[in-house]
Amino acid sequence: MDEKKENGEILSPSRLAWMGFKKHKLGIIGSIMVIILILVSLFSSVVAPYDPLAMNPKDSLRAPCAKYWLGTDRFGRDQLSRLLYGTRISMEVSFGAIAIAIFLGVVIGLISGYYGGILDNIIMRLLDILFAFPLLLLALMLVAVLGPSLENLLLTIGFLYHSRFARIVRGSVLAVKEKEFIEAIRSVGARDITIILFFILPNVLSPVIVQATFNLSTAIMVEAALSFLGLGTQPPTPSWGLMISESRRFMELAPWLAVFPGLAIIFAVLGFNLMGDALRDALDPRLSQR
Amino acid sequence: MLRYICIRILSMIPILLGVSILVFATFHLVPGDVVDIMMGDEVAGDPKVLMELRKELNLDKPVYLQYLYWLWDAVRGDLGKSFTSGKPVMEEILHRLPVNVELMIIAIAFVILIGIPMGMLSAYKQFSFLDGIVRVATIMGYSIPNFWLATIVVLLGSLYFRWLPVLQYVPFSENPLENIKCMVIPGFVLGLTTLSYIVRMTRSSVLDTLRQDYVRTARAKGMTEKLVLFVHVLKNSLIPVITVLGIQIGVLIGGLVLTEEVFVLPGVGRLILLAIEQRDFMIVTGSILFIASVFVVINLIVDIVYAFLDPRITY
């Protein structure tokens, strides 16, 4: 990323943002954590010492040792390998869900904010309904009815989170669309779609990026929580939440099974939160907290 | 003011209607109909009986009429009967609600009693060692999943310490002291994430307020530091804190399900989880409609409190 700065081709606002971001030490740490997570999830088959699904009855419930760094579960499956593969599940669900949420939210927010009027009113009141539910409970109900599975969980989180992006995008569009340069573009006869995609969208992206980073961490948390309750990833797929849930039956015999998946969740959530803080300070100075 | 409150109460109605439509629609997403689920494996039963049952439950009517019947019942507090136990859903909810209310009260008490003073102190001594610790602790605090923390607390409590009467719920009416003993720790665990947000919010809000001119004026006219802090700074810093607390109540309600599950407390959250397991969707949707309605009302109250606290809000 350093080379990017040196070749000087970047426009000044993004360069400024990058300089702001660089000053944020915790943000750099957070980004490194996120990069580690992404690399691990891409290459889990390379870094994992064992097959996460391979059962090994005679090595059941082993404490952490040289052979199994983080011990084994009741089927003798290597916990380290399961955690590393769990990273992939966690990233898949959170990135997938947030991608859906961003797509829906940005489209709805752009339309609602740009056209305004009755349409805007209807859309915003519909979103209010989603905000009227405690999020986790609504997710719980939807997943329970759709049937617990990784795909349903991903779709549910994506559907529920789009409302946040829609609100933010709409707010930013309202601010941008009154600016003179939009007026100027309209006066030369640009079509609405051109104005929205090429002139408004780029100007509302930074709050979306900041929000996305924070929502990735909540999505990781929600995935883990629902899998913990048996409503997300199904066994034998290794998922952090599910591993904590499974560990509870052997807690006294094998406490390490309860500890490490939790640390993995904390690592991931912390990484995205720290990165989000720094991004917010760099991209959206109005919102920054000291 | 009265007018504002009335308008806010009226604006609740379309939201509650929307909530009910969403819950009703979800209920109808379930493959098959209620009768199929109720009968379970006995679907092969007498078709005549099934028809009658459907008629009794208004399933032979068009969907919008079904919704209106259902809504009318719900408004009067009838959320249908559980498929499994046959008891009214409302009765099941009300029976377990005290656990949730108590947990929420404990959690919110922790959040306010620890969070606000800690945030103030951290802001007042900005850049001090204490401030550093508080900042790191809050970042950690909201990165820890509360169901994991709960699991670890149960593990430590049962394995290494004997001070925790864990996993043995005692109703308040039976033995208040024992009851509080077994609820305090779950309540604290439930509130931890929110606590971190509140500390953070209080800190940044107090920092903002401390820079205001009126604080300088108050100091200049010789007010003691204590008075400045508690009279001028605290009151004016609380508004954004209350906003965050209002938002966090939804998070707390969601957290209840997880906390109850880990600490084996008989609240509405476990009722829902058990019902999901037994595919008793009458209880699932009924409870969620109930909780969402309560949540809407809580938000209304937060908004009104907010309006009281901030004279700048015009109605």
Side-chain angles (χ1 to χ4, degrees):
Chain A
M1 271 193 240
D2 264 326
E3 302 144 8
K4 226 178 172 183
K5 191 198 123 200
E6 280 155 19
N7 64 30
E9 282 166 24
I10 294 162
L11 294 167
S12 58
S14 36
R15 186 177 185 145
L16 269 175
W18 168 235
M19 278 157 64
F21 187 81
K22 254 193 340 189
K23 270 192 286 185
H24 219 290
K25 282 199 201 78
L26 285 176
I28 298 291
I29 296 176
S31 318
I32 293 171
M33 289 162 82
V34 168
I35 292 169
I36 292 175
L37 285 167
I38 293 172
L39 288 179
V40 166
S41 58
L42 287 177
F43 301 105
S44 28
S45 50
V46 182
V47 282
Y50 298 95
D51 176 355
L53 300 179
M55 300 193 196
N56 226 333
K58 68 178 195 320
D59 281 340
S60 159
L61 294 180
R62 283 284 173 86
C65 57
K67 191 175 173 202
Y68 303 106
W69 287 2
L70 300 181
T72 64
D73 68 4
R74 76 181 147 132
F75 298 115
R77 296 177 296 199
D78 177 46
Q79 181 164 226
L80 177 63
S81 309
R82 289 180 66 71
L83 280 181
L84 293 172
Y85 272 90
T87 315
R88 178 180 283 179
I89 302 292
S90 191
M91 293 300 118
E92 250 173 42
V93 174
S94 47
F95 276 93
I98 298 305
I100 295 175
I102 291 179
F103 178 75
L104 285 176
V106 169
V107 170
I108 292 174
L110 282 174
I111 292 174
S112 190
Y114 187 76
Y115 291 105
I118 301 172
L119 183 71
D120 176 40
N121 239 315
I122 294 174
I123 291 176
M124 284 304 122
R125 294 299 82 76
L126 286 177
L127 291 184
D128 281 347
I129 294 169
L130 283 183
F131 281 98
F133 286 91
L135 199 116
L136 191 71
L137 280 182
L138 189 54
L140 201 75
M141 177 174 78
L142 290 175
V143 175
V145 167
L146 293 171
S149 76
L150 200 66
E151 293 75 25
N152 288 341
L153 185 60
L154 197 152
L155 293 174
T156 305
I157 300 178
F159 169 69
L160 293 182
Y161 278 53
H162 86 274
S163 50
R164 303 175 173 204
F165 290 98
R167 269 194 180 176
I168 289 171
V169 171
R170 172 185 174 268
S172 315
V173 172
L174 287 182
V176 173
K177 80 168 179 184
E178 301 301 333
K179 295 258 168 75
E180 286 86 357
F181 74 95
I182 299 290
E183 194 73 17
I185 299 154
R186 194 174 293 132
S187 71
V188 298
R191 288 181 307 157
D192 282 353
I193 184 84
T194 320
I195 299 176
I196 293 177
L197 286 183
F198 295 102
F199 297 96
I200 292 189
L201 182 63
N203 282 298
V204 301
L205 276 184
S206 16
V208 170
I209 294 170
V210 174
Q211 188 69 7
T213 320
F214 285 120
N215 279 326
L216 279 168
S217 80
T218 4
I220 292 170
M221 209 73 124
V222 172
E223 186 273 330
L226 288 181
S227 296
F228 176 78
L229 295 173
L231 291 168
T233 321
Q234 297 299 309
T237 313
S239 144
W240 296 338
L242 193 62
M243 288 169 74
I244 296 177
S245 162
E246 285 170 346
S247 79
R248 289 199 295 156
R249 286 166 57 197
F250 306 95
M251 221 154 52
E252 299 187 10
L253 282 169
W256 58 89
L257 290 178
V259 173
F260 293 112
L263 295 181
I265 298 174
I266 295 175
F267 182 84
V269 172
L270 197 61
F272 282 102
N273 277 340
L274 292 177
M275 192 171 139
D277 275 347
L279 278 176
R280 183 189 50 205
D281 291 351
L283 291 174
D284 209 352
R286 277 171 304 129
L287 292 174
S288 72
Q289 296 174 344
R290 276 158 303 270
Chain B
M1 189 65 179
L2 196 67
R3 194 166 154 261
Y4 171 76
I5 294 176
C6 289
I7 292 173
R8 278 299 280 112
I9 290 175
L10 286 180
S11 72
M12 242 171 59
I13 294 171
I15 294 203
L16 285 175
L17 276 179
V19 165
S20 69
I21 292 175
L22 184 55
V23 171
F24 182 79
T26 313
F27 189 73
H28 282 254
L29 273 178
V30 182
D33 70 13
V34 183
V35 175
D36 291 334
I37 302 168
M38 274 167 87
M39 289 294 147
D41 297 333
E42 301 155 40
V43 175
D46 191 353
K48 218 174 149 189
V49 178
L50 291 185
M51 274 311 279
E52 245 157 58
L53 201 57
R54 287 204 165 91
K55 206 164 181 177
E56 195 192 308
L57 291 164
N58 296 321
L59 289 177
D60 54 342
K61 305 218 165 52
V63 175
Y64 70 92
L65 269 184
Q66 285 185 40
Y67 167 70
L68 289 177
Y69 279 118
W70 175 81
L71 182 67
W72 177 237
D73 283 342
V75 168
R76 289 179 304 157
D78 177 5
L79 295 172
K81 287 194 174 81
S82 156
F83 297 159
T84 41
S85 70
K87 282 192 208 153
V89 173
M90 199 63 175
E91 193 180 295
E92 298 266 20
I93 294 173
L94 291 179
H95 182 63
R96 290 169 174 79
L97 199 60
V99 176
N100 302 57
V101 174
E102 194 182 344
L103 275 178
M104 285 293 277
I105 290 175
I106 295 175
I108 292 176
F110 269 124
V111 167
I112 292 174
L113 294 180
I114 301 179
I116 293 176
M118 211 192 235
M120 280 185 77
L121 199 66
S122 178
Y124 193 65
K125 306 219 181 263
Q126 195 189 6
F127 302 129
S128 69
F129 181 64
L130 179 92
D131 181 38
I133 290 183
V134 168
R135 284 170 70 188
V136 172
T138 53
I139 294 175
M140 281 307 285
Y142 57 70
S143 303
I144 297 177
N146 74 359
F147 64 91
W148 176 74
L149 187 66
T151 309
I152 296 298
V153 167
V154 170
L155 174 72
L156 291 177
S158 61
L159 199 57
Y160 302 110
F161 306 101
R162 299 287 165 197
W163 42 257
L164 251 186
V166 268
L167 311 187
Q168 263 184 0
Y169 176 70
V170 186
F172 189 77
S173 51
E174 254 173 47
N175 187 340
L177 198 70
E178 283 298 308
N179 167 273
I180 289 177
K181 255 186 177 169
C182 74
M183 298 290 264
V184 163
I185 288 175
F188 178 72
V189 171
L190 173 65
L192 192 74
T193 316
T194 305
L195 178 71
S196 314
Y197 278 106
I198 292 296
V199 171
R200 225 175 125 93
M201 198 65 228
T202 313
R203 180 178 176 278
S204 74
S205 176
V206 168
L207 280 178
D208 266 346
T209 319
L210 281 173
R211 291 206 187 88
Q212 300 292 321
D213 290 341
Y214 59 77
V215 172
R216 198 185 47 205
T217 311
R219 281 180 178 151
K221 73 182 182 190
M223 255 177 125
T224 60
E225 228 12 64
K226 252 188 207 152
L227 274 177
V228 172
L229 265 188
F230 288 98
V231 176
H232 290 284
V233 176
L234 181 62
K235 196 181 158 206
N236 288 299
S237 307
L238 277 186
I239 292 157
V241 176
I242 287 175
T243 316
V244 173
L245 192 61
I247 296 167
Q248 284 288 312
I249 284 175
V251 178
L252 284 178
I253 294 177
L256 277 175
V257 181
L258 296 154
T259 314
E260 285 169 26
E261 167 71 11
V262 180
F263 287 104
V264 204
L265 297 169
V268 179
R270 283 190 77 218
L271 176 73
I272 296 175
L273 289 178
L274 190 69
I276 289 176
E277 218 166 88
Q278 297 173 332
R279 301 184 62 75
D280 189 341
F281 292 108
M282 207 60 132
I283 287 200
V284 177
T285 50
S287 314
I288 295 206
L289 179 66
F290 179 85
I291 295 174
S293 312
V294 172
F295 185 47
V296 170
V297 175
I298 292 177
N299 278 331
L300 171 79
I301 296 170
V302 171
D303 268 8
I304 293 174
V305 170
Y306 191 76
F308 263 114
L309 275 177
D310 191 350
R312 278 169 305 184
I313 294 177
T314 45
Y315 329 109

